[in-house]
């Protein structure tokens, strides 16, 4: 098997435990396969999903699966945010530190939407339209500040997110961590355990 040869060569070259190299190698292969699927889907948009997400159905009926609107890119949002700030002469205030602190404040406001509600089920059953609207606005504020912070720090946010998913896949291989919420440092891998 060629992957076994590659893992053995990397183990020898890097001087790292074979189980660790195998875990990272397999996560990388999985990530490459996922990226290949994404490219294929992007090249052939035969997706028949609705263009706008539907609002959740009434309580007691089956929930609509969560999905995002198509045709709105992070780059489009980044440009619109930059123009929004420029039109108001706010760019002078948008230093990375200021944006990070503003982001933290918005996360606090987002958390207030859930304060004293206990566990909240997916789809927010029983929430009033007023509370749903408040949550949407706070989630949007957090998202917009994150995009603006990424812009000001010269971080390609979509690429950074996909790269971080690859890192997380290496830290938390599905076969090892399925159904557990422990931190990656609490897992041990023995040679041959993955496969």
């Amino acid at each position: 098997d060629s992957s076994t040869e590659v893992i053995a060569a990397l183990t020898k070259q890097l001087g790292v435990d074979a189980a660790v190299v195998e875990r990272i190698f397999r996560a990388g292969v999985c990530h490459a396969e996922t990226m290949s699927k994404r490219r294929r889907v992007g090249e052939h948009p035969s997706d028949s999903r609705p263009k706008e997400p539907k609002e959740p159905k009434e309580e007691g009926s089956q929930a609509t699966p969560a999905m995002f609107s198509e045709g709105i890119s992070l780059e489009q949002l980044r440009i619109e945010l930059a123009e929004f700030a420029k039109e108001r002469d706010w760019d002078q205030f948008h230093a990375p530190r200021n944006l990070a602190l503003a982001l933290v404040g918005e996360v606090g406001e987002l958390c207030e939407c859930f304060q004293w509600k206990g566990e909240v089920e997916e789809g927010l059953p029983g929430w009033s339209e007023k509370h749903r609207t408040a949550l949407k606005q706070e989630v949007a504020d957090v998202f917009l500040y994150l995009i603006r912070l990424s812009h000001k720090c010269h971080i390609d946010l979509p690429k950074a997110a996909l790269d971080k998913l690859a890192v997380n896949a290496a830290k938390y291989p599905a076969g090892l961590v399925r159904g557990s919420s422990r931190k990656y440092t609490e897992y041990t891998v023995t040679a041959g355990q993955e496969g």
Side-chain angles (χ1 to χ4, degrees):
D1 170 53
S2 62
S3 63
T4 304
E5 293 172 11
V6 172
I7 291 168
L10 285 170
T11 300
K12 184 177 179 182
Q13 181 181 2
L14 299 172
V16 178
D17 182 57
V20 172
V21 172
E22 182 177 6
R23 181 170 138 187
I24 293 169
F25 178 82
R26 297 213 184 281
V29 168
C30 181
H31 179 68
E33 290 169 355
T34 300
M35 293 304 297
S36 176
K37 288 177 188 174
R38 282 193 184 119
R39 281 191 292 277
R40 284 196 305 270
V41 168
E43 291 171 2
H44 306 289
S46 59
D47 197 345
S48 60
R49 293 186 307 174
K51 298 300 178 196
E52 292 293 323
K54 295 179 182 177
E55 290 298 315
K57 294 181 181 179
E58 292 300 315
E59 193 174 342
S61 65
Q62 288 202 314
T64 302
M67 60 182 130
F68 298 134
S69 301
E70 295 180 14
I72 301 172
S73 71
L74 288 178
E75 178 61 10
Q76 177 187 351
L77 289 171
R78 184 196 65 77
I79 291 168
E80 289 188 29
L81 279 167
E83 290 173 0
F84 182 89
K86 185 177 179 181
E87 289 169 355
R88 288 155 182 80
D89 194 24
W90 287 354
D91 205 50
Q92 61 182 318
F93 307 118
H94 287 186
R97 177 185 171 276
N98 291 343
L99 291 167
L101 293 174
L103 176 61
V104 168
E106 293 299 338
V107 168
E109 292 180 21
L110 170 61
C111 291
E112 284 179 8
C113 294
F114 293 98
Q115 192 171 14
W116 315 122
K117 294 193 183 305
E119 288 299 319
V120 176
E121 292 181 37
E122 181 177 341
L124 313 175
W127 279 41
S128 68
E129 192 56 38
K130 177 183 173 183
H131 287 109
R132 286 176 185 275
T133 299
L135 179 63
K136 286 178 194 176
Q137 290 176 354
E138 296 308 334
V139 167
D141 282 340
V142 169
F143 185 59
L144 293 172
Y145 269 117
L146 186 60
I147 292 170
R148 188 70 172 145
L149 176 61
S150 299
H151 176 180
K152 287 301 198 168
C153 292
H154 298 192
I155 294 170
D156 181 346
L157 185 57
K159 183 179 182 321
L162 288 175
D163 290 347
K164 182 59 176 166
L165 279 173
V167 168
N168 288 347
K171 285 182 179 178
Y172 300 99
L176 183 63
V177 303
R178 183 170 280 107
S180 175
S181 61
R182 292 183 296 163
K183 188 168 173 62
Y184 71 94
T185 54
E186 297 179 50
Y187 294 100
T188 57
V189 180
T190 57
Q193 185 174 353
E194 286 192 31

